[in-house]
Amino acid sequence: MKPYDTHATADPFARSISAFETLTGTLSGGDASRWTHAELEEHLEAAGRELLHLLLQDHLDLRAQREEEQVRSGAGPVVIGPEGRVRPWRETGHSRWLASVFGLVRVTRVAHRGPGASNVHPADAALSLPAGRHSMGLRRLAVAEAVRGSFDQAHRAVTGRCGNVLGKRRLEELVVATAADIHAFYQARIPVPCSHEMPLVVQVDGKGVVMRPEALREATRRAAAKAAGGRRGRLAPGEKPNRKRMATVACVFDTRPEPRRPHDVIHPPGGRSGERPARRGPKAESKWCTASLVRPPEQVIADAFDQAQARDPKRLRPWIVLVDGARHQLDLIAAETDRRGGTVHVLLDFVHVAEYIWAAAHAFHKPGTPEAEAWVADHLTTILAGQAARAADEMTAQADQERLPVVRRESVAACHRYLTGHLDQLHYDTALANGWPIATGAVEGACRHLIADRLDITGARWGLPGAEAVLRLRTLVANGDLEDYWRFHTTREHQRLYPAPNRQEYSLTS
């Protein structure tokens, strides 16, 4: 890009005014009167961007002119560097490039110098310039596009709007850097309190992300290397390809109690009579999500419990934790509950329980038949009434009575093991009476939105820093906290680049 002249003019915005007058002259001319609205939009988009570009450059040149005039007059504060040494000499004409959302501009400023010391530029601190070339506005645009679609799509969107100011690799680096303060942001954030009568719900789940080999966990990488040594062209049925790294997802939300009965959840065989409409279930309010590929599951669960603790510090509300039944998750939740104390009601996702019941039903009846539906409805209603042990024993007794063959009996045995092994997490009668949720729809929806819709797109193979950054940023957007976080991150970035010893800001940009 050809540098703009920086000589003083009568009006520092003369170039911007000239560009504006040229634009209005074009729009008032005869040619423009024959343009369609699409042609007008196209012209205004290009000319308007260039006008904004000139306005930004003219303003930066004006600030440089005023700083130089201050130096020539001998005014201005004494500047102290980061090591505490005074910079007695001042030199004008130092410039650097800034890639902005309006294009590339040049920032000219005064360098404060000293013997054997690095240059200090107070104007950099006043403008809060980034360490690299790319502005905070450009970074924000890159982040907004990168969390929405692929990096290739994000790069095309940024280039189409701002010109060739940002490469794809640098865009990925900016996304990773932007996510650096998310954990600190949520540690400093205080949730809005709500009524003690509203239950507090924590849900935990996991979902795999396809990674590049070097980003896999060690055990998965060894399994992948072992499988690759066999040189097989096709995986065996049920064999895992060892390409994914599990992300832990947790969400915390408030909900209003909605008491129900078993038949509000499971309709009787043949459908409802219509005499009494089914009561609706509780809805999530003020939902907050967290997810990570890097942090171990116990830390993600601890973060979720921290959020719950911040919402209910005195433990006056009922806490309900919903999981899918994975023993590892249950052990981690039990350990976190023991560490914090207090009462936590742990429930299994009712949808997972229903899947086991349906599998057992198909051992007795053909899939899709009214008999299978009636069998499932009967046993699920029994479980919802708080009698899961009885339901497990009844299906086993029925299998004995009908002398099921071993192959068909296995699904019944698996269902029996699942129910009897989780009796402490199947108190649905208490949950329905108190109006609590009994399914993990909120966290499963979060898994689909946060991971499947972006990290699981066709052909994606992730490195760990990029995947973690995109996942954390998508979580931030889903929580509705992007605006607040951006202010927090911008402030933290300024403090890192321009600390102020003795109340004098400085910059290390040479």
Side-chain angles (χ1 to χ4, degrees):
M1 175 181 175
K2 184 179 178 180
Y4 286 99
D5 295 332
T6 57
H7 60 273
T9 61
D11 188 338
F13 291 94
R15 290 170 298 186
S16 303
I17 294 172
S18 176
F20 178 74
E21 291 175 346
T22 300
L23 176 59
T24 55
T26 300
L27 294 176
S28 61
D31 291 340
S33 63
R34 293 186 292 271
W35 290 351
T36 65
H37 82 279
E39 292 172 325
L40 286 168
E41 286 178 329
E42 183 178 355
H43 181 80
L44 283 172
E45 182 179 15
R49 185 187 301 119
E50 179 58 23
L51 175 59
L52 294 173
H53 178 215
L54 287 173
L55 284 167
L56 177 59
Q57 183 65 68
D58 286 347
H59 174 78
L60 294 173
D61 291 346
L62 177 61
R63 291 174 76 140
Q65 178 185 337
R66 289 172 175 171
E67 187 182 29
E68 292 177 3
E69 290 173 352
Q70 188 180 53
V71 168
R72 286 193 291 269
S73 67
V78 176
V79 175
I80 301 174
E83 74 293 332
R85 294 170 56 184
V86 175
R87 300 297 194 272
W89 308 327
R90 291 178 286 187
E91 186 175 276
T92 62
H94 284 244
S95 63
R96 57 174 290 187
W97 293 104
L98 178 68
S100 74
V101 293
F102 309 121
L104 201 61
V105 293
R106 189 174 62 180
V107 183
T108 305
R109 67 266 201 262
V110 173
H112 292 251
R113 314 182 67 178
S118 58
N119 291 352
V120 172
H121 306 88
D124 286 8
L127 285 165
S128 194
L129 294 181
R133 172 176 289 193
H134 303 93
S135 72
M136 294 304 290
L138 189 59
R139 296 182 186 203
R140 179 166 181 170
L141 176 61
V143 167
E145 295 295 339
V147 300
R148 182 183 301 125
S150 69
F151 285 125
D152 284 328
Q153 292 172 329
H155 181 248
R156 286 194 295 268
V158 172
T159 302
R161 175 175 171 180
C162 308
N164 190 19
V165 294
L166 178 63
K168 178 186 171 184
R169 180 171 295 182
R170 183 55 180 156
L171 183 148
E172 296 179 22
E173 293 171 351
L174 293 178
V175 170
V176 173
T178 300
D181 296 316
I182 293 179
H183 184 66
F185 168 73
Y186 278 120
Q187 284 187 321
R189 192 173 179 86
I190 301 175
V192 177
C194 67
S195 170
H196 296 163
E197 288 75 25
M198 295 183 67
L200 185 59
V201 183
V202 179
Q203 296 185 358
V204 183
D205 203 354
K207 188 169 180 62
V209 178
V210 179
M211 310 294 290
R212 292 197 287 266
E214 68 275 9
L216 295 170
R217 290 188 169 91
E218 184 60 31
T220 310
R221 187 162 52 245
R222 287 198 302 267
K226 182 178 179 181
R231 298 181 179 276
R232 291 180 297 148
R234 184 180 179 90
L235 296 172
E239 186 177 2
K240 294 183 181 296
N242 299 308
R243 298 182 304 161
K244 292 187 175 183
R245 183 183 180 112
M246 289 300 295
T248 305
V249 182
C251 67
V252 181
F253 60 87
D254 308 319
T255 186
R256 300 182 186 277
E258 296 287 352
R260 292 177 290 169
R261 295 184 296 181
H263 282 93
D264 293 316
V265 180
I266 300 297
H267 66 75
R272 303 183 186 276
S273 64
E275 295 180 1
R276 186 184 67 83
R279 299 172 184 173
R280 68 184 185 92
K283 303 296 182 182
E285 299 181 12
S286 303
K287 186 170 72 172
W288 176 89
C289 296
T290 184
S292 180
L293 282 156
V294 174
R295 295 164 65 82
E298 54 267 27
Q299 290 188 5
V300 177
I301 291 173
D303 290 343
F305 272 73
D306 286 342
Q307 173 70 196
Q309 190 78 37
R311 296 188 182 205
D312 183 25
K314 297 183 179 180
R315 303 297 290 268
L316 300 177
R317 303 165 59 187
W319 286 28
I320 299 94
V321 178
L322 279 155
V323 294
D324 62 7
R327 179 54 59 184
H328 180 57
Q329 286 183 359
L330 288 170
D331 292 342
L332 293 177
I333 289 169
E336 189 65 26
T337 301
D338 292 341
R339 186 175 72 85
R340 295 174 184 265
T343 301
V344 173
H345 306 277
V346 181
L347 293 172
L348 291 190
D349 174 29
F350 182 68
V351 176
H352 281 74
V353 175
E355 291 298 326
Y356 277 88
I357 298 297
W358 274 107
H362 294 155
F364 299 103
H365 306 285
K366 291 182 178 180
T369 60
E371 291 79 12
E373 293 190 7
W375 194 94
V376 169
D378 181 58
H379 285 78
L380 287 180
T381 302
T382 301
I383 293 172
L384 288 173
Q387 302 178 38
R390 180 166 73 86
D393 292 340
E394 286 178 352
M395 68 179 66
T396 302
Q398 183 179 355
D400 293 337
Q401 182 180 359
E402 297 186 12
R403 299 181 183 275
L404 290 181
V406 175
V407 175
R408 291 168 58 190
R409 190 185 180 95
E410 178 55 34
S411 59
V412 178
C415 183
H416 184 275
R417 289 193 301 268
Y418 185 78
L419 294 176
T420 56
H422 296 91
L423 290 176
D424 290 342
Q425 294 92 43
L426 297 176
H427 296 300
Y428 296 123
D429 54 334
T430 301
L432 292 178
N434 289 310
W436 301 340
I438 60 173
T440 58
V443 72
E444 290 182 0
C447 287
R448 289 192 298 271
H449 172 67
L450 299 177
I451 297 176
D453 291 350
R454 174 62 181 94
L455 278 75
D456 202 25
I457 58 178
T458 302
R461 299 294 184 271
W462 290 91
L464 192 54
E468 177 73 0
V470 170
L471 178 58
R472 299 298 299 275
L473 288 167
R474 282 183 67 84
T475 304
L476 192 77
V477 173
N479 292 340
D481 294 331
L482 181 60
E483 294 292 335
D484 292 339
Y485 172 73
W486 197 262
R487 288 191 289 270
F488 179 87
H489 172 65
T490 301
T491 301
R492 290 283 292 261
E493 189 72 5
H494 181 89
Q495 292 169 349
R496 284 189 286 265
L497 292 173
Y498 306 107
N502 300 325
R503 304 186 66 83
Q504 293 293 330
E505 293 184 319
Y506 63 87
S507 164
L508 293 180
T509 305
S510 60

